[in-house]
Amino acid sequence: MEHIVIIGNGISGVTLARHIRKLSDKKITIVSAETDFFFSRTALMYVYMGHMKFEHTQPYENWFWKKNKIDLKKGYVKTVETVSKTLYFTEGDTLQYDKLVIATGSKPNKFGWPGQDLEGVMGMYHKQDLDNLEKQAPNKDVCKRAVIVGGGLIGIELAEMLNSRSIPVTFLVRESSFWDGVLPEGESEMINRHIKNHHIDLRLSTNLKEIKADKNGKVKSVIIEETGEELECNVVGLTAGVTPNIDFIKDSYIETGRGVKVNRFLETNITDVYAIGDCAEQHEAIGNRRPIEAVWYTGRMMGETLAQTICGNRIEYKPGHWFNSAKFLDIEYQTYGWVFGKKGRPDYEQHFHWKHNDDTKCITVAYHKDTNEFLGINSFGIRMRHQTFDKWLTEKRDVDYVMQHLQEANFDPELYSKFEKEILLAYTNQLEPAR
């Protein structure tokens, strides 16, 4: 019986295993050193905030794996030998495979800062990070201040987590405005204000120079690069992005760049070896997407796609129109299609921006200035329907059509205020004279 070994029990690896099982009776083993069972990584923050217990983050009962004949092996893979198709574990044992799938996800970036490995310095990605945070920052008496380095989605989640326990937070963001590599100006500035309104000490255009230790080797303070200022703190969260977690295959024959190099079928250069999720790197990016996508839903889609290929129906990975969602403290964010920030915005991309007076709701609509084709939308504080925008993007609707029909895309529950009329009026007033 063919043995499929999957290294990594995140959303990609587990989706793959489930779909292979639906399609076949192949032998499946999932290897992970992180946790015994699959859990939802995006829910870790809610465990710390007291909204759920860790077991609530596990979508499947513990008996699910045995019942579905999916073997789970806890262990850390040290090396992969592709000629003999053998995995070598740090614990000294080995495992043979017929087909191997690398789904090891990401690890937090470290940039060689002095003190980056001290006790009290952590990312916020793994279950171990959550345990570490619970130990180092159980309350504001033990952790008098936390410093977060890096202004992405994980950084703002960590800030919200610490804030929920009234732990003072200083947030060091090297960009001149929060996440402005991704968000257009108006949105980024609105999020800056929202962060400060939550009494988080946001420091823009600010870099970390070093992390200092006390006499016991624990974090005692950080030094700011630009000013030399010393900030006392007990916890430092490193959230300056993530990198594919693939050190264990660097000495193998498997081709790597930043991630494991794959083609459109998620195949590596070695027969019977595949990579999916955050650690997979496309040889050539798909459309405007990045070659590596550290996004939950693309990981799930790769798992579903590769299951077909492994079970004899070789199909290409086609992620479709870009979309994503996140939460900035109290403000929900959704994006469909492409809306570029200042950096990397193509010349043809024009924006219409509307913001509500309460400074917690806004939308930005991107369209082609010559053809008026609708390119994408960012929505903050107003829930929009994925299906509707997906359809409009496929149909290549023009921006006027989208603005006229915006209420069809609204997904807010009944009794929520609706803003489409106000948005349409602003759009008409702003754009009509210019045409």
Side-chain angles (χ1 to χ4, degrees), residues 301-347:
M301 287 165 86
M302 287 185 207
E304 290 173 4
T305 304
L306 183 57
Q308 293 286 335
T309 295
I310 282 177
C311 294
N313 176 26
R314 188 169 180 263
I315 59 171
E316 204 173 315
Y317 167 59
K318 289 183 177 166
H321 298 297
W322 168 254
F323 72 94
N324 205 3
S325 63
K327 200 162 156 281
F328 300 99
L329 301 162
D330 304 326
I331 300 177
E332 289 185 23
Y333 156 72
Q334 292 169 285
T335 182
Y336 302 106
W338 293 105
V339 182
F340 284 95
K342 264 194 306 198
K343 296 166 194 162
R345 186 188 303 173
D347 297 340

Side-chain angles (χ1 to χ4, degrees), residues 1 155 163 179 211 216 231 247 327 366 393 435:
M1 190 190 294
N163 207 27
W179 217 35
I211 305 166
N216 302 316
L231 283 176
D247 291 345
K327 200 162 156 281
L393 287 161
R435 292 199 177 157

Side-chain angles (χ1 to χ4, degrees), residues 162-186:
L162 293 156
N163 207 27
S164 75
R165 295 197 187 183
S166 306
I167 294 168
V169 174
T170 296
F171 202 174
L172 309 184
V173 175
R174 68 177 183 179
E175 290 81 17
S176 57
S177 186
F178 184 82
W179 217 35
D180 69 354
V182 178
L183 299 178
E185 232 165 334

Side-chain angles (χ1 to χ4, degrees), residues 358-370:
D358 72 5
D359 209 25
T360 66
K361 295 173 198 71
C362 74
I363 68 162
T364 302
V365 176
Y367 61 96
H368 195 297
K369 72 174 177 15
D370 302 324

Side-chain angles (χ1 to χ4, degrees), residues 376-389:
I377 183 169
N378 284 352
S379 171
F380 288 77
I382 302 170
R383 286 183 189 173
M384 297 290 194
R385 207 179 287 275
H386 176 205
Q387 237 174 332
T388 310
F389 285 114

Side-chain angles (χ1 to χ4, degrees), residues 164-209:
S164 75
R165 295 197 187 183
S166 306
I167 294 168
V169 174
T170 296
F171 202 174
L172 309 184
V173 175
R174 68 177 183 179
E175 290 81 17
S176 57
S177 186
F178 184 82
W179 217 35
D180 69 354
V182 178
L183 299 178
E185 232 165 334
E187 301 172 351
S188 173
E189 286 164 3
M190 184 179 89
I191 299 300
N192 292 340
R193 294 188 292 272
H194 189 63
I195 292 169
K196 289 173 179 170
N197 288 342
H198 279 74
H199 311 293
I200 291 166
D201 172 25
L202 176 64
R203 311 272 189 105
L204 297 167
S205 304
T206 303
N207 285 279
L208 171 68
K209 186 180 181 188

